[in-house]
Amino acid sequence: MFDRAKNLSSSVRAALRLGRGGRLLRRFRRSQDGVVVVEFAFVAVPFFALLFAIFETALMFWTNQVLEESLSQASRSLVTGQSQYRYTAANPAANATKFRDDVCAKAPMGLIDCAKLSVDVRTYASFAEAKTQTSGSNPVSGGTLDTNSFTYVQPQRNDIVVVRAVLDYKLFLTSWASAALANIGSGRRAIVASTAFRAEPFTP
């Protein structure tokens, strides 16, 4: 009789231990503490990589827009003939440098690195000639940037003028995001802006 009671007591204690273990297991299964942290750890790397890629692309397009607008504003002096009095150096390179500085001065917040900017000002007899000549002189070719042929030609009245500006732009990221944007070497992209117009019939 005593042995039966002892065995029964052992069974009860075992059942109680099993019950406590089962409750602990059920509590563990129901617990959601830390799940968000674990899930975020899985998606954090691709999320931030995508976020930085968006910032990189947006900043590059913004710089491109700023360059185009600055070039358009600086080119007004070429349209109206004011360039006849502003860019008067005998050396075309000196005139190109001064015109480049005027383009940079139009850019807000110093967004354009003037030391990395090259400009080309040329005149043509017709728009057809301008299209033919410029189509074969792309400064970006084969993953390299070549602006050695860039010069400055003083526009005269009624000339067809083509103005180009090329910025050697340094990308901020050095990951797969910048690799997709780079076109002149690792972490660098040539941003090109251009405008074409006929000069006004100004009096020289």
Side-chain angles (χ1 to χ4, degrees):
M1 181 107 180
F2 178 76
D3 292 337
R4 291 181 57 189
K6 184 178 179 181
N7 292 336
L8 181 60
S9 177
S10 299
S11 300
V12 170
R13 285 196 298 270
L16 290 174
R17 285 197 298 270
L18 182 60
R20 286 196 297 269
R23 288 195 298 273
L24 182 61
L25 180 61
R26 287 194 295 271
R27 287 176 56 192
F28 177 78
R29 293 177 59 183
R30 289 197 302 266
S31 177
Q32 300 294 315
D33 296 342
V35 171
V36 175
V37 176
V38 174
E39 290 177 347
F40 184 74
F42 284 115
V43 302
V45 173
F47 171 75
F48 283 114
L50 179 61
L51 188 64
F52 291 150
I54 292 173
F55 287 154
E56 179 77 88
T57 306
L59 184 59
M60 185 194 70
F61 278 112
W62 184 29
T63 304
N64 193 356
Q65 182 63 33
V66 167
L67 179 60
E68 289 183 356
E69 181 63 23
S70 301
L71 182 66
S72 178
Q73 292 182 22
S75 296
R76 283 294 301 165
S77 64
L78 308 177
V79 177
T80 61
Q82 293 177 350
S83 60
Q84 301 283 327
Y85 311 100
R86 183 164 183 78
Y87 313 117
T88 58
N91 184 3
N95 287 329
T97 299
K98 191 169 184 179
F99 178 72
R100 180 204 65 184
D101 293 343
D102 287 346
V103 173
C104 295
K106 303 292 184 181
M109 297 181 296
L111 194 60
I112 297 176
D113 184 357
C114 217
K116 300 294 183 65
L117 182 66
S118 301
V119 295
D120 183 53
V121 180
R122 296 177 186 268
T123 61
Y124 302 92
S126 65
F127 283 105
E129 180 187 359
K131 180 180 180 180
T132 301
Q133 294 293 327
T134 56
S135 61
S137 60
N138 190 348
V140 182
S141 179
T144 60
L145 175 62
D146 183 10
T147 59
N148 292 326
S149 62
F150 277 19
T151 188
Y152 179 94
V153 178
Q154 189 70 267
Q156 305 300 320
R157 56 184 300 175
N158 295 321
D159 277 350
I160 304 300
V161 186
V162 176
V163 185
R164 293 184 295 175
V166 182
L167 178 64
D168 186 344
Y169 178 75
K170 180 176 175 54
L171 299 164
F172 287 94
L173 301 180
T174 57
S175 62
W176 58 269
S178 62
L181 298 174
N183 63 356
I184 54 170
S186 177
R188 294 165 54 221
R189 180 178 180 85
I191 297 180
V192 183
S194 62
T195 181
F197 51 85
R198 183 187 292 275
E200 294 177 354
F202 53 80
T203 301

